[in-house]
Amino acid sequence: MSAIGLSTDKLEPFVKAYEVKNIAGDIKAAAKLLQDRTGPGSDFLGWLDLPSSTPEKLIDEVKEAASEIRSNAEAFISIGIGGSYLGARAAIEFSKHSFNNQLVPAKRKAPEVYFAGQNISSDYLSDLLDIMEDRQVCLNIISKSGTTTEPAIAFRILKSMMEKRYGKKGAKDRIVVTTDRAKGALKQVADEEGYKSFVIPDDVGGRYSVLTPVGLLPIAVAGIDISEMILGARTFEGISKTNDIEENPACLYAATRKLLYEKGKQIEILSSFHPSLHYVAEWWKQLAGESEGKGGQGIFPASVDLTTDLHSMGQWIQEGQRNIFETFLTVERSNRQLAVPEFEDDGDALNYIAGKTLDYVNEKAYQGTAEAHRDGGVPNMTISLKNRSARTLGELFYFFEYSVALSGYLLGVNPFDQPGVEFYKRNMFRLLGKKI
Ligand code: PA5
């Protein structure tokens, strides 16, 4: 039984039921390219059966490494960018306490988790070094290519800090590398220094790698049950054997996105009503943006946090240019319940909702927003998650991976490469005077 639902009733009148039926054949054809591994980029389809094929031995090794880090570190830094960063951050922020790093250790029961290498900000890294001053630290540097500049710079700086503090041998025992099995500068460094290493499979690209050690190690360090997450992904891997629009919501999602795009809706806004989904949306933006935005095509993936952004971007969404559609991402039940208290004087006139849970109020805010945006000319649909469990998130990861891959094939592009990312790098290297 899936923990993910997709409701499309607010696509009417923009998308008609017969149009969805008519595109079902295209979806099946795109899915066949995926399942038969005959489409563009088919060398990078390792993620397709990753949930069912990840060996228990690897999961145990990741858990063991995580448990060693948990016992040695008060703070853990995950260094990486793009696909080597966003999945872990999404999972940790989705699953854990909203103020996880601020919890007392006895409540957190895991190290504080920080991220580095996702920018080149001197202040960010200096501030992170400040935080590390009075904490025992472990690092995980993650890079598939092993040559990405941002994490490489952060690693140099943090490695220096570690070696100064723990000595070369002590630092070695606190550093884990996740990279390619054979190539790249990071692999070479890992071999030379004797760092514990995990391998990113050759056939899994960065943005599809959250269920490899890229995501699994930091997620396990944070205290999330990675076996549960993989089980969830396995559920959706099973669902994806069916490529029927009626039975596989990933197919229906890909179909409606394509129809909306053809109707001039070039921007998709992923709107969530739970702050824990902020980085899930960031992860999704990379997945969709890098997979589909090529050859002068592709939906621009954007996101907003609601109800926060109803007081900023809400105006634009309601009445701005009508080239957008919206996908709501909702959580049916929060981990913890709070209700609006009753006040005798009712000075703030809130007694009409006294006793109602915040989940109830948030749900009404979502329903009201979905209706208002539809009436304002923004077709919308809703992906609903039953809860904030690791299993549900595993399903969601696979759901998005599968539907985005389908969307890429529907557009006729290779969803597994990202040639455009090289352009800024080439210019930056030239400006930095790198010898090539
Ligand atoms: O999806 C991708 O492949 C990219 O976004 C990469 O994840 C990102 O550029 C980081 O690359 P690497 O892991 O090689 O450092």
Side-chain angles (χ1 to χ4, degrees), residues 249-306:
C251 290
L252 180 57
Y253 177 54
T256 51
R257 292 177 87 233
K258 179 73 178 4
L259 290 168
L260 288 161
Y261 181 63
E262 281 172 353
K263 290 171 191 284
K265 307 293 180 188
Q266 294 163 332
I267 300 170
E268 176 176 11
I269 304 177
L270 192 68
S271 304
S272 65
F273 280 79
H274 218 294
S276 68
L277 285 163
H278 177 84
Y279 273 94
V280 172
E282 294 300 313
W283 171 84
W284 167 82
K285 284 196 288 199
Q286 188 211 354
L287 182 72
E290 276 192 351
S291 300
E292 297 170 39
K294 47 198 77 161
Q297 301 187 78
I299 293 167
F300 182 86
S303 66
V304 290
D305 296 314
L306 306 182

Side-chain angles (χ1 to χ4, degrees), residues 315-380:
Q315 172 59 38
W316 199 103
I317 298 172
Q318 189 66 42
E319 295 187 326
Q321 212 184 321
R322 301 299 73 183
N323 58 350
I324 57 174
F325 68 99
E326 197 169 15
T327 301
F328 290 100
L329 188 54
T330 62
V331 178
E332 281 172 21
R333 193 176 160 77
S334 291
N335 287 345
R336 302 160 74 185
Q337 298 303 317
L338 277 178
V340 179
E342 173 134 24
F343 279 4
E344 220 165 83
D345 63 4
D346 199 21
D348 54 9
L350 268 189
N351 271 355
Y352 77 104
I353 47 168
K356 301 287 186 216
T357 65
L358 265 58
D359 267 4
Y360 175 86
V361 180
N362 211 14
E363 164 86 7
K364 297 301 158 209
Y366 146 66
Q367 288 169 354
T369 306
E371 248 175 68
H373 289 179
R374 192 250 344 255
D375 296 346
V378 181
N380 60 73

Side-chain angles (χ1 to χ4, degrees), residues 81-84 142-146 148 151 205-207 286 290 418:
I81 195 166
S84 293
I142 310 165
S143 176
K144 176 148 198 229
S145 62
T148 307
R207 58 190 174 276
Q286 188 211 354
E290 276 192 351
Q418 55 285 329

Side-chain angles (χ1 to χ4, degrees), residues 44 79-86 117 141-152 178-179 186 200 204-209 214 286-287 290-291 415-418 421-422 424-425:
F44 287 93
I79 307 171
I81 195 166
S84 293
Y85 156 60
L86 287 162
I141 161 86
I142 310 165
S143 176
K144 176 148 198 229
S145 62
T147 56
T148 307
T149 310
E150 292 88 337
T178 308
T179 191
L186 183 58
I200 309 173
V204 181
R207 58 190 174 276
Y208 289 83
S209 69
V214 167
Q286 188 211 354
L287 182 72
E290 276 192 351
S291 300
F416 308 112
D417 66 0
Q418 55 285 329
V421 177
E422 297 310 312
Y424 98 90
K425 289 187 192 168

Side-chain angles (χ1 to χ4, degrees), residues 71-285:
S71 48
N72 290 335
E74 294 162 313
F76 167 75
I77 308 175
S78 175
I79 307 171
I81 195 166
S84 293
Y85 156 60
L86 287 162
R89 187 152 197 179
I92 293 167
E93 305 229 348
F94 177 78
S95 311
K96 303 297 292 184
H97 194 282
S98 306
F99 306 97
N100 199 41
N101 283 350
Q102 281 78 47
L103 283 177
V104 292
K107 276 203 170 168
R108 193 177 48 248
K109 299 190 188 95
E112 295 167 1
V113 178
Y114 296 91
F115 296 90
Q118 80 278 34
N119 58 53
I120 320 178
S121 162
S122 181
D123 282 339
Y124 182 92
L125 210 49
S126 306
D127 293 349
L128 187 64
L129 287 169
D130 283 350
I131 299 290
M132 293 309 128
E133 264 170 22
D134 56 359
R135 285 156 169 83
Q136 297 301 325
V137 186
C138 285
L139 301 183
N140 180 202
I141 161 86
I142 310 165
S143 176
K144 176 148 198 229
S145 62
T147 56
T148 307
T149 310
E150 292 88 337
I153 293 174
F155 184 50
R156 263 201 186 204
I157 291 169
L158 291 165
K159 183 183 174 215
S160 304
M161 177 274 285
M162 298 286 278
E163 290 185 350
K164 226 181 257 163
R165 185 182 305 174
Y166 298 109
K168 225 172 159 45
K169 161 83 180 76
K172 185 204 107 178
D173 296 337
R174 291 175 169 274
I175 294 173
V176 179
V177 170
T178 308
T179 191
D180 189 83
R181 80 181 70 246
K183 55 180 195 308
L186 183 58
K187 170 67 185 155
Q188 205 175 315
V189 172
D191 288 348
E192 279 165 16
E193 302 277 7
Y195 294 143
K196 176 158 188 55
S197 300
F198 284 100
V199 169
I200 309 173
D202 295 342
D203 57 358
V204 181
R207 58 190 174 276
Y208 289 83
S209 69
V210 61
L211 299 172
T212 72
V214 167
L216 295 179
L217 181 62
I219 293 169
V221 170
I224 297 163
D225 188 340
I226 54 170
S227 297
E228 277 291 300
M229 204 172 82
I230 292 171
L231 273 179
R234 214 175 273 171
T235 301
F236 216 89
E237 183 189 331
I239 292 170
S240 295
K241 304 285 180 229
T242 325
N243 288 298
D244 200 316
I245 277 180
E246 314 270 323
E247 285 170 45
N248 182 346
C251 290
L252 180 57
Y253 177 54
T256 51
R257 292 177 87 233
K258 179 73 178 4
L259 290 168
L260 288 161
Y261 181 63
E262 281 172 353
K263 290 171 191 284
K265 307 293 180 188
Q266 294 163 332
I267 300 170
E268 176 176 11
I269 304 177
L270 192 68
S271 304
S272 65
F273 280 79
H274 218 294
S276 68
L277 285 163
H278 177 84
Y279 273 94
V280 172
E282 294 300 313
W283 171 84
W284 167 82
K285 284 196 288 199

